[in-house]
Amino acid sequence: MSSTITLQDKEFVPFISEQEITEKIKTLATQLAKDYDGKKPLFIAILNGSFMFAAALFKELAIEAEISFIKLASYKGTKSTGHVITAIGLDTDITDRHVIILEDIIDTGKTLHSFLPQLYNQHPASLKIAVLLDKPEPRKFDVPVHYVCFTIPNKFVLGFGLDFDGFGRNIKEIYKLKEDE
Ligand code: IMP
Ligand code: MG
């Protein structure tokens, strides 16, 4: 792993190696293949952050499965409920399907917490969440996380699809903010 990376005056240091990521993703793919064999599950990956995790996981998956990608947009609601999260690009009917959401990281849980009811409304046969990184410490909204590759402390991370101000997604490993150490 290369050493420090600087992005917009912030220093990032190596945190999780490419090999560790690959191994965890393979283990998760094996587990999912076991749990969903014969169920033809539908994976829904949430862009942008999860594109690399989704690709790495999906190519290791040895069962029949579909994958679709959505973007979540947050709007200021007209009602007092505040922000409304809407899916852009959910073009597959999820009724009676076994759905697995793929997310890069869960932090406060706000995004998924506000979005999940829309999916439950369509009555999937089952709905589970798989994440590359789980940061439980800053959690403010309850989200059921069923599959986790890495549980990490409350540090800002980037790489393997995760960004800092749009950059750093192409880094093969996961780095963490140095001043957070
Ligand atoms: P939540 O709604 O607070 O759970 O935030 C989830 C989203 O925030 C993730 O999908 C990421 O896009 C972003 N995010 C949270 N923590 C980090 C981080 O440490 N690095 C990069 N992006 C993050
Ligand atoms: Mg994300």
Side-chain angles (χ1 to χ4, degrees), residues 49 103-112 135 139 152 155-158 162-164 169:
E103 247 296 39
D104 52 354
I105 186 165
I106 303 210
D107 190 49
T108 65
K110 185 173 189 235
T111 316
L112 278 182
K135 240 193 239 182
R139 194 84 86 250
I152 62 166
K155 313 259 183 203
F156 188 85
V157 292
L158 93 168
L162 289 109
D163 72 304
F164 170 58
R169 295 194 197 274

PDB file of all heavy atoms in Angstrom, residues 49 103-112 135 139 152 155-158 162-164 169, ligand 1:
ATOM      1  N   GLY A  49     -21.331   5.952  -4.388  1.00  0.00           N
ATOM      2  CA  GLY A  49     -20.306   5.309  -3.570  1.00  0.00           C
ATOM      3  C   GLY A  49     -20.167   3.800  -3.686  1.00  0.00           C
ATOM      4  O   GLY A  49     -19.089   3.260  -3.486  1.00  0.00           O
ATOM      5  N   GLU A 103     -24.707  -0.836  -0.135  1.00  0.00           N
ATOM      6  CA  GLU A 103     -24.270   0.522   0.201  1.00  0.00           C
ATOM      7  C   GLU A 103     -22.778   0.515   0.502  1.00  0.00           C
ATOM      8  O   GLU A 103     -22.245  -0.490   0.996  1.00  0.00           O
ATOM      9  CB  GLU A 103     -25.030   1.019   1.438  1.00  0.00           C
ATOM     10  CG  GLU A 103     -25.989   2.166   1.213  1.00  0.00           C
ATOM     11  CD  GLU A 103     -25.380   3.489   0.774  1.00  0.00           C
ATOM     12  OE1 GLU A 103     -24.439   3.510  -0.041  1.00  0.00           O
ATOM     13  OE2 GLU A 103     -25.869   4.517   1.231  1.00  0.00           O
ATOM     14  N   ASP A 104     -22.120   1.619   0.227  1.00  0.00           N
ATOM     15  CA  ASP A 104     -20.698   1.716   0.537  1.00  0.00           C
ATOM     16  C   ASP A 104     -20.475   1.797   2.046  1.00  0.00           C
ATOM     17  O   ASP A 104     -19.662   1.083   2.607  1.00  0.00           O
ATOM     18  CB  ASP A 104     -20.049   2.917  -0.184  1.00  0.00           C
ATOM     19  CG  ASP A 104     -20.791   4.234   0.037  1.00  0.00           C
ATOM     20  OD1 ASP A 104     -21.878   4.232   0.664  1.00  0.00           O
ATOM     21  OD2 ASP A 104     -20.281   5.271  -0.409  1.00  0.00           O
ATOM     22  N   ILE A 105     -21.230   2.688   2.684  1.00  0.00           N
ATOM     23  CA  ILE A 105     -21.011   2.916   4.119  1.00  0.00           C
ATOM     24  C   ILE A 105     -22.300   3.417   4.768  1.00  0.00           C
ATOM     25  O   ILE A 105     -23.063   4.139   4.151  1.00  0.00           O
ATOM     26  CB  ILE A 105     -19.849   3.936   4.314  1.00  0.00           C
ATOM     27  CG1 ILE A 105     -19.471   4.104   5.788  1.00  0.00           C
ATOM     28  CG2 ILE A 105     -20.153   5.291   3.695  1.00  0.00           C
ATOM     29  CD1 ILE A 105     -18.120   4.809   6.000  1.00  0.00           C
ATOM     30  N   ILE A 106     -22.533   2.991   5.978  1.00  0.00           N
ATOM     31  CA  ILE A 106     -23.643   3.555   6.751  1.00  0.00           C
ATOM     32  C   ILE A 106     -23.050   4.348   7.900  1.00  0.00           C
ATOM     33  O   ILE A 106     -22.232   3.834   8.668  1.00  0.00           O
ATOM     34  CB  ILE A 106     -24.612   2.488   7.288  1.00  0.00           C
ATOM     35  CG1 ILE A 106     -25.150   1.675   6.112  1.00  0.00           C
ATOM     36  CG2 ILE A 106     -25.764   3.151   8.048  1.00  0.00           C
ATOM     37  CD1 ILE A 106     -26.525   1.133   6.306  1.00  0.00           C
ATOM     38  N   ASP A 107     -23.476   5.584   7.983  1.00  0.00           N
ATOM     39  CA  ASP A 107     -22.919   6.524   8.936  1.00  0.00           C
ATOM     40  C   ASP A 107     -24.017   6.877   9.947  1.00  0.00           C
ATOM     41  O   ASP A 107     -24.259   6.113  10.872  1.00  0.00           O
ATOM     42  CB  ASP A 107     -22.445   7.739   8.102  1.00  0.00           C
ATOM     43  CG  ASP A 107     -21.628   8.733   8.863  1.00  0.00           C
ATOM     44  OD1 ASP A 107     -20.690   8.324   9.547  1.00  0.00           O
ATOM     45  OD2 ASP A 107     -21.916   9.937   8.771  1.00  0.00           O
ATOM     46  N   THR A 108     -24.745   7.972   9.725  1.00  0.00           N
ATOM     47  CA  THR A 108     -25.849   8.301  10.633  1.00  0.00           C
ATOM     48  C   THR A 108     -27.050   7.387  10.394  1.00  0.00           C
ATOM     49  O   THR A 108     -27.890   7.212  11.267  1.00  0.00           O
ATOM     50  CB  THR A 108     -26.326   9.760  10.429  1.00  0.00           C
ATOM     51  OG1 THR A 108     -26.873   9.884   9.122  1.00  0.00           O
ATOM     52  CG2 THR A 108     -25.191  10.741  10.615  1.00  0.00           C
ATOM     53  N   GLY A 109     -27.150   6.837   9.181  1.00  0.00           N
ATOM     54  CA  GLY A 109     -28.273   5.976   8.834  1.00  0.00           C
ATOM     55  C   GLY A 109     -29.436   6.742   8.220  1.00  0.00           C
ATOM     56  O   GLY A 109     -30.436   6.158   7.804  1.00  0.00           O
ATOM     57  N   LYS A 110     -29.278   8.062   8.137  1.00  0.00           N
ATOM     58  CA  LYS A 110     -30.378   8.927   7.687  1.00  0.00           C
ATOM     59  C   LYS A 110     -30.871   8.574   6.283  1.00  0.00           C
ATOM     60  O   LYS A 110     -32.075   8.445   6.054  1.00  0.00           O
ATOM     61  CB  LYS A 110     -29.908  10.389   7.718  1.00  0.00           C
ATOM     62  CG  LYS A 110     -31.006  11.352   7.379  1.00  0.00           C
ATOM     63  CD  LYS A 110     -30.564  12.785   7.593  1.00  0.00           C
ATOM     64  CE  LYS A 110     -31.777  13.679   7.447  1.00  0.00           C
ATOM     65  NZ  LYS A 110     -31.712  14.711   6.527  1.00  0.00           N
ATOM     66  N   THR A 111     -29.932   8.427   5.345  1.00  0.00           N
ATOM     67  CA  THR A 111     -30.307   8.170   3.953  1.00  0.00           C
ATOM     68  C   THR A 111     -31.160   6.913   3.840  1.00  0.00           C
ATOM     69  O   THR A 111     -32.269   6.956   3.307  1.00  0.00           O
ATOM     70  CB  THR A 111     -29.032   7.997   3.091  1.00  0.00           C
ATOM     71  OG1 THR A 111     -28.098   9.009   3.461  1.00  0.00           O
ATOM     72  CG2 THR A 111     -29.340   8.083   1.624  1.00  0.00           C
ATOM     73  N   LEU A 112     -30.666   5.805   4.341  1.00  0.00           N
ATOM     74  CA  LEU A 112     -31.405   4.544   4.188  1.00  0.00           C
ATOM     75  C   LEU A 112     -32.681   4.536   5.014  1.00  0.00           C
ATOM     76  O   LEU A 112     -33.707   4.031   4.573  1.00  0.00           O
ATOM     77  CB  LEU A 112     -30.518   3.356   4.545  1.00  0.00           C
ATOM     78  CG  LEU A 112     -29.578   2.896   3.433  1.00  0.00           C
ATOM     79  CD1 LEU A 112     -28.790   1.678   3.869  1.00  0.00           C
ATOM     80  CD2 LEU A 112     -30.357   2.583   2.154  1.00  0.00           C
ATOM     81  N   LYS A 135     -20.205   2.153  10.172  1.00  0.00           N
ATOM     82  CA  LYS A 135     -19.679   3.046  11.210  1.00  0.00           C
ATOM     83  C   LYS A 135     -20.788   3.191  12.241  1.00  0.00           C
ATOM     84  O   LYS A 135     -21.627   4.083  12.125  1.00  0.00           O
ATOM     85  CB  LYS A 135     -19.471   4.420  10.551  1.00  0.00           C
ATOM     86  CG  LYS A 135     -18.085   4.975  10.536  1.00  0.00           C
ATOM     87  CD  LYS A 135     -18.168   6.443  10.137  1.00  0.00           C
ATOM     88  CE  LYS A 135     -17.406   6.778   8.912  1.00  0.00           C
ATOM     89  NZ  LYS A 135     -17.469   8.221   8.583  1.00  0.00           N
ATOM     90  N   ARG A 139     -24.405   6.593  14.452  1.00  0.00           N
ATOM     91  CA  ARG A 139     -25.770   6.247  14.044  1.00  0.00           C
ATOM     92  C   ARG A 139     -26.812   7.052  14.805  1.00  0.00           C
ATOM     93  O   ARG A 139     -26.802   7.096  16.031  1.00  0.00           O
ATOM     94  CB  ARG A 139     -26.027   4.757  14.266  1.00  0.00           C
ATOM     95  CG  ARG A 139     -27.281   4.287  13.564  1.00  0.00           C
ATOM     96  CD  ARG A 139     -27.072   3.937  12.092  1.00  0.00           C
ATOM     97  NE  ARG A 139     -26.630   2.577  11.939  1.00  0.00           N
ATOM     98  CZ  ARG A 139     -25.409   2.235  11.548  1.00  0.00           C
ATOM     99  NH1 ARG A 139     -24.511   3.152  11.269  1.00  0.00           N
ATOM    100  NH2 ARG A 139     -25.089   0.991  11.440  1.00  0.00           N
ATOM    101  N   ILE A 152     -16.141  -0.214  11.345  1.00  0.00           N
ATOM    102  CA  ILE A 152     -15.014   0.706  11.563  1.00  0.00           C
ATOM    103  C   ILE A 152     -15.357   1.778  12.596  1.00  0.00           C
ATOM    104  O   ILE A 152     -16.525   2.082  12.817  1.00  0.00           O
ATOM    105  CB  ILE A 152     -14.568   1.389  10.238  1.00  0.00           C
ATOM    106  CG1 ILE A 152     -15.707   2.241   9.636  1.00  0.00           C
ATOM    107  CG2 ILE A 152     -14.095   0.355   9.215  1.00  0.00           C
ATOM    108  CD1 ILE A 152     -15.240   3.194   8.535  1.00  0.00           C
ATOM    109  N   LYS A 155     -14.335   7.357  11.824  1.00  0.00           N
ATOM    110  CA  LYS A 155     -13.277   8.079  11.102  1.00  0.00           C
ATOM    111  C   LYS A 155     -13.778   8.350   9.696  1.00  0.00           C
ATOM    112  O   LYS A 155     -14.498   7.518   9.136  1.00  0.00           O
ATOM    113  CB  LYS A 155     -12.022   7.211  10.953  1.00  0.00           C
ATOM    114  CG  LYS A 155     -11.583   6.515  12.202  1.00  0.00           C
ATOM    115  CD  LYS A 155     -10.449   7.243  12.832  1.00  0.00           C
ATOM    116  CE  LYS A 155      -9.954   6.502  14.056  1.00  0.00           C
ATOM    117  NZ  LYS A 155      -9.266   7.378  14.986  1.00  0.00           N
ATOM    118  N   PHE A 156     -13.342   9.447   9.094  1.00  0.00           N
ATOM    119  CA  PHE A 156     -13.688   9.702   7.702  1.00  0.00           C
ATOM    120  C   PHE A 156     -12.768   8.876   6.816  1.00  0.00           C
ATOM    121  O   PHE A 156     -11.551   8.898   6.964  1.00  0.00           O
ATOM    122  CB  PHE A 156     -13.582  11.186   7.348  1.00  0.00           C
ATOM    123  CG  PHE A 156     -14.128  11.447   5.983  1.00  0.00           C
ATOM    124  CD1 PHE A 156     -15.489  11.655   5.797  1.00  0.00           C
ATOM    125  CD2 PHE A 156     -13.297  11.421   4.865  1.00  0.00           C
ATOM    126  CE1 PHE A 156     -16.010  11.839   4.529  1.00  0.00           C
ATOM    127  CE2 PHE A 156     -13.808  11.611   3.588  1.00  0.00           C
ATOM    128  CZ  PHE A 156     -15.167  11.822   3.424  1.00  0.00           C
ATOM    129  N   VAL A 157     -13.357   8.114   5.895  1.00  0.00           N
ATOM    130  CA  VAL A 157     -12.567   7.234   5.040  1.00  0.00           C
ATOM    131  C   VAL A 157     -12.813   7.544   3.564  1.00  0.00           C
ATOM    132  O   VAL A 157     -13.840   8.130   3.209  1.00  0.00           O
ATOM    133  CB  VAL A 157     -12.897   5.748   5.311  1.00  0.00           C
ATOM    134  CG1 VAL A 157     -12.422   5.335   6.689  1.00  0.00           C
ATOM    135  CG2 VAL A 157     -14.395   5.472   5.161  1.00  0.00           C
ATOM    136  N   LEU A 158     -11.866   7.131   2.721  1.00  0.00           N
ATOM    137  CA  LEU A 158     -12.066   7.258   1.277  1.00  0.00           C
ATOM    138  C   LEU A 158     -11.352   6.150   0.548  1.00  0.00           C
ATOM    139  O   LEU A 158     -10.535   5.435   1.120  1.00  0.00           O
ATOM    140  CB  LEU A 158     -11.641   8.645   0.762  1.00  0.00           C
ATOM    141  CG  LEU A 158     -10.217   8.850   0.223  1.00  0.00           C
ATOM    142  CD1 LEU A 158     -10.119  10.164  -0.489  1.00  0.00           C
ATOM    143  CD2 LEU A 158      -9.209   8.812   1.343  1.00  0.00           C
ATOM    144  N   LEU A 162     -15.446   5.242  -2.322  1.00  0.00           N
ATOM    145  CA  LEU A 162     -15.827   6.330  -1.412  1.00  0.00           C
ATOM    146  C   LEU A 162     -15.002   7.578  -1.709  1.00  0.00           C
ATOM    147  O   LEU A 162     -13.800   7.490  -1.977  1.00  0.00           O
ATOM    148  CB  LEU A 162     -15.617   5.915   0.047  1.00  0.00           C
ATOM    149  CG  LEU A 162     -16.598   4.872   0.544  1.00  0.00           C
ATOM    150  CD1 LEU A 162     -15.895   3.543   0.723  1.00  0.00           C
ATOM    151  CD2 LEU A 162     -17.218   5.309   1.852  1.00  0.00           C
ATOM    152  N   ASP A 163     -15.649   8.717  -1.605  1.00  0.00           N
ATOM    153  CA  ASP A 163     -14.987   9.964  -2.001  1.00  0.00           C
ATOM    154  C   ASP A 163     -14.809  10.945  -0.863  1.00  0.00           C
ATOM    155  O   ASP A 163     -15.473  10.871   0.170  1.00  0.00           O
ATOM    156  CB  ASP A 163     -15.817  10.658  -3.073  1.00  0.00           C
ATOM    157  CG  ASP A 163     -17.103  11.246  -2.484  1.00  0.00           C
ATOM    158  OD1 ASP A 163     -17.874  10.482  -1.872  1.00  0.00           O
ATOM    159  OD2 ASP A 163     -17.313  12.464  -2.610  1.00  0.00           O
ATOM    160  N   PHE A 164     -13.917  11.910  -1.126  1.00  0.00           N
ATOM    161  CA  PHE A 164     -13.858  13.118  -0.305  1.00  0.00           C
ATOM    162  C   PHE A 164     -14.049  14.253  -1.290  1.00  0.00           C
ATOM    163  O   PHE A 164     -13.215  14.450  -2.177  1.00  0.00           O
ATOM    164  CB  PHE A 164     -12.504  13.224   0.419  1.00  0.00           C
ATOM    165  CG  PHE A 164     -12.291  14.551   1.087  1.00  0.00           C
ATOM    166  CD1 PHE A 164     -13.173  15.010   2.048  1.00  0.00           C
ATOM    167  CD2 PHE A 164     -11.206  15.355   0.744  1.00  0.00           C
ATOM    168  CE1 PHE A 164     -12.984  16.241   2.653  1.00  0.00           C
ATOM    169  CE2 PHE A 164     -11.010  16.582   1.349  1.00  0.00           C
ATOM    170  CZ  PHE A 164     -11.900  17.033   2.300  1.00  0.00           C
ATOM    171  N   ARG A 169     -12.249   8.226  -5.300  1.00  0.00           N
ATOM    172  CA  ARG A 169     -13.025   7.002  -5.517  1.00  0.00           C
ATOM    173  C   ARG A 169     -12.213   5.912  -6.212  1.00  0.00           C
ATOM    174  O   ARG A 169     -12.501   4.732  -6.086  1.00  0.00           O
ATOM    175  CB  ARG A 169     -14.264   7.292  -6.383  1.00  0.00           C
ATOM    176  CG  ARG A 169     -15.269   8.210  -5.739  1.00  0.00           C
ATOM    177  CD  ARG A 169     -16.582   8.145  -6.506  1.00  0.00           C
ATOM    178  NE  ARG A 169     -17.469   9.270  -6.215  1.00  0.00           N
ATOM    179  CZ  ARG A 169     -18.321   9.318  -5.199  1.00  0.00           C
ATOM    180  NH1 ARG A 169     -18.378   8.320  -4.350  1.00  0.00           N
ATOM    181  NH2 ARG A 169     -19.086  10.361  -5.021  1.00  0.00           N
TER     182      ARG A 169
HETATM  183  P1  IMP B   1     -25.772   8.358   6.278  1.00  0.00           P
HETATM  184  O1  IMP B   1     -27.071   8.778   5.633  1.00  0.00           O
HETATM  185  O2  IMP B   1     -25.324   9.315   7.346  1.00  0.00           O
HETATM  186  O3  IMP B   1     -25.770   6.934   6.757  1.00  0.00           O
HETATM  187  O4  IMP B   1     -24.667   8.569   5.184  1.00  0.00           O
HETATM  188  C1  IMP B   1     -24.392   7.658   4.259  1.00  0.00           C
HETATM  189  C2  IMP B   1     -23.632   8.275   3.112  1.00  0.00           C
HETATM  190  O5  IMP B   1     -22.700   9.290   3.525  1.00  0.00           O
HETATM  191  C3  IMP B   1     -22.787   7.203   2.494  1.00  0.00           C
HETATM  192  O6  IMP B   1     -23.511   6.516   1.503  1.00  0.00           O
HETATM  193  C4  IMP B   1     -21.605   7.952   1.959  1.00  0.00           C
HETATM  194  O7  IMP B   1     -21.866   8.395   0.648  1.00  0.00           O
HETATM  195  C5  IMP B   1     -21.444   9.140   2.881  1.00  0.00           C
HETATM  196  N1  IMP B   1     -20.376   8.900   3.898  1.00  0.00           N
HETATM  197  C6  IMP B   1     -20.557   8.668   5.214  1.00  0.00           C
HETATM  198  N2  IMP B   1     -19.367   8.492   5.843  1.00  0.00           N
HETATM  199  C7  IMP B   1     -18.414   8.609   4.883  1.00  0.00           C
HETATM  200  C8  IMP B   1     -16.971   8.516   4.912  1.00  0.00           C
HETATM  201  O8  IMP B   1     -16.309   8.280   5.945  1.00  0.00           O
HETATM  202  N3  IMP B   1     -16.341   8.682   3.710  1.00  0.00           N
HETATM  203  C9  IMP B   1     -16.999   8.937   2.538  1.00  0.00           C
HETATM  204  N4  IMP B   1     -18.346   9.026   2.480  1.00  0.00           N
HETATM  205  C10 IMP B   1     -19.044   8.880   3.641  1.00  0.00           C
END
